[in-house]
Amino acid sequence: MASSSSSGLTFKLHPLVIVNISDHYTRVKSQEHFAPPKTNGDASSSLPSSPPRVFGCVIGVQRGRTVEIFNSFELLYDPSTDSLDRPFLEKKQELYKKVFPNFYILGWYSTGSDAQESDMSIHKALMDINESPVYVLLNPSINPAQKDLPVTIYESELHVIDGIPQLIFVRANYTIETVEAERISVDHVAHLKPSDGGSAATQLAAHLTGIHSAIKMLNSRVRVLHHYLLAMQKGDIPCENSLLRQVSSLLRRLPAIESAKFQDDFLMEYNDTLLITYLAMFTNCASTMNELVDKFNTAYDRHSRRGGRTAFI
């Protein structure tokens, strides 16, 4: 398997695809977990089974050299023949074409730590739909030390190996692309209340921790870029014009936050946030005082019914 692709295509992956693949894998794994155990007397049935693999198609659009993967749908896989259920695929393709007329099948997805030899047969079977399908592989294994997404995108290239032309998988670079609806959805999922009934303080602490981690990561990446540019300026590493153009494009955006319009919009947003914070504080204080008055009235009524003479102030 080659290290990187040389096709020059730009891949943009939307979060909905990652969520769909993860949900597909989670459901299949849960179904296997609750399935009745095998009782065929085979000794291998008592051994732990390998993680399940799920399969599906990814759909989207291709504009020139840019491939944007928007969505995905599940497929049926026959492990005895290492092939996909073709009638089911054609039916799903027809249904999705009615809902998303501008989307086309760009390739397929699966789960696992790495691409397998049997994956190439599935890849070749989809070439009659897309002559150059893309392969999205999600690694469901949890690795706390890994910072990057466990998603790999492969392309297929024809290489001559031992005098024989063969198709092999090569890695392709990609970026995460989101639209407004996806950003709102992801933010909503990130701020869902914990299932164990965590308090508002716990949720606030988790939110602030996430913001702190994001700022810390941004700071570390800016430092890496700064050290890289210094080393390039000193001549320790070769000059890369493509990287310099990207840095220049990034720096041109900085003066936009120094304009008078930005300051006015920023102060307006800042004042609105402070106003909402103060209103929430006043509401919380009024609610606390209301509870205190209710407790006082309850105690006073109980004391009055008992004929007490002690005066409540």
Side-chain angles (χ1 to χ4, degrees):
M1 184 182 299
S3 59
S4 61
S5 172
S6 59
S7 64
L9 293 176
T10 301
F11 292 94
K12 296 181 179 181
L13 183 64
H14 284 254
L16 182 59
V17 180
I18 304 176
V19 174
N20 287 344
I21 301 175
S22 178
D23 175 70
H24 188 188
Y25 173 82
T26 303
R27 286 187 285 106
V28 172
K29 187 176 182 180
S30 300
Q31 292 171 2
E32 289 192 356
H33 177 72
F34 291 105
K38 298 179 180 180
T39 57
N40 54 4
D42 189 1
S44 61
S45 62
S46 59
L47 298 176
S49 59
S50 58
R53 298 192 69 194
V54 297
F55 300 86
C57 276
V58 293
I59 58 177
V61 296
Q62 179 174 356
R63 304 181 184 92
R65 308 298 294 174
T66 302
V67 179
E68 194 164 358
I69 306 174
F70 282 93
N71 206 338
S72 64
F73 59 86
E74 303 171 11
L75 293 177
L76 298 179
Y77 175 73
D78 187 1
S80 60
T81 59
D82 287 334
S83 61
L84 299 174
D85 189 339
R86 197 52 181 259
F88 183 80
L89 167 60
E90 295 174 355
K91 182 178 180 181
K92 295 285 288 187
Q93 182 183 8
E94 182 182 355
L95 293 176
Y96 266 80
K97 199 64 178 177
K98 295 179 180 179
V99 182
F100 305 103
N102 298 325
F103 289 178
Y104 298 91
I105 292 182
L106 301 176
W108 62 293
Y109 72 79
S110 182
T111 55
S113 58
D114 201 356
Q116 302 182 8
E117 295 182 0
S118 59
D119 294 344
M120 184 54 71
S121 60
I122 301 177
H123 196 80
K124 292 180 180 178
L126 294 176
M127 286 186 173
D128 60 340
I129 300 177
N130 189 317
E131 61 181 9
S132 182
V134 60
Y135 177 24
V136 180
L137 182 65
L138 172 68
N139 186 2
S141 302
I142 299 176
N143 185 7
Q146 183 178 1
K147 296 182 179 180
D148 297 331
L149 287 174
V151 178
T152 307
I153 293 182
Y154 294 103
E155 292 182 86
S156 59
E157 291 184 355
L158 187 63
H159 287 209
V160 178
I161 303 176
D162 297 331
I164 303 174
Q166 298 180 12
L167 274 179
I168 63 173
F169 288 121
V170 293
R171 293 176 180 268
N173 296 326
Y174 68 92
T175 57
I176 300 298
E177 187 78 10
T178 59
V179 296
E180 187 65 24
E182 289 177 323
R183 286 194 290 268
I184 295 174
S185 300
V186 172
D187 182 73
H188 176 71
V189 172
H191 292 83
L192 285 177
K193 186 177 181 181
S195 58
D196 57 353
S199 62
T202 304
Q203 298 180 52
L204 178 60
H207 176 64
L208 294 178
T209 302
I211 294 178
H212 177 266
S213 300
I215 296 176
K216 186 177 180 181
M217 181 178 297
L218 176 62
N219 182 48
S220 64
R221 293 185 177 182
V222 170
R223 286 178 178 272
V224 169
L225 184 60
H226 180 251
H227 292 316
Y228 186 83
L229 293 176
L230 288 178
M232 187 182 298
Q233 185 180 18
K234 294 178 181 179
D236 298 337
I237 57 177
C239 181
E240 295 186 13
N241 294 327
S242 60
L243 178 61
L244 292 178
R245 284 194 294 268
Q246 294 180 15
V247 174
S248 177
S249 175
L250 179 63
L251 293 178
R252 288 195 190 98
R253 303 177 186 177
L254 296 180
I257 66 176
E258 298 178 358
S259 61
K261 185 178 184 305
F262 175 81
Q263 292 295 332
D264 294 340
D265 294 341
F266 175 77
L267 290 177
M268 184 179 298
E269 292 287 342
Y270 182 72
N271 291 333
D272 292 342
T273 303
L274 288 180
L275 178 61
I276 294 175
T277 303
Y278 293 152
L279 288 176
M281 186 184 302
F282 291 151
T283 304
N284 190 21
C285 292
S287 177
T288 303
M289 289 297 299
N290 188 32
E291 292 179 359
L292 178 62
V293 171
D294 290 341
K295 292 179 180 179
F296 177 84
N297 291 334
T298 302
Y300 181 80
D301 293 341
R302 185 179 302 172
H303 183 79
S304 299
R305 287 195 298 269
R306 291 180 180 177
R309 299 181 180 178
T310 303
F312 285 81
I313 300 177

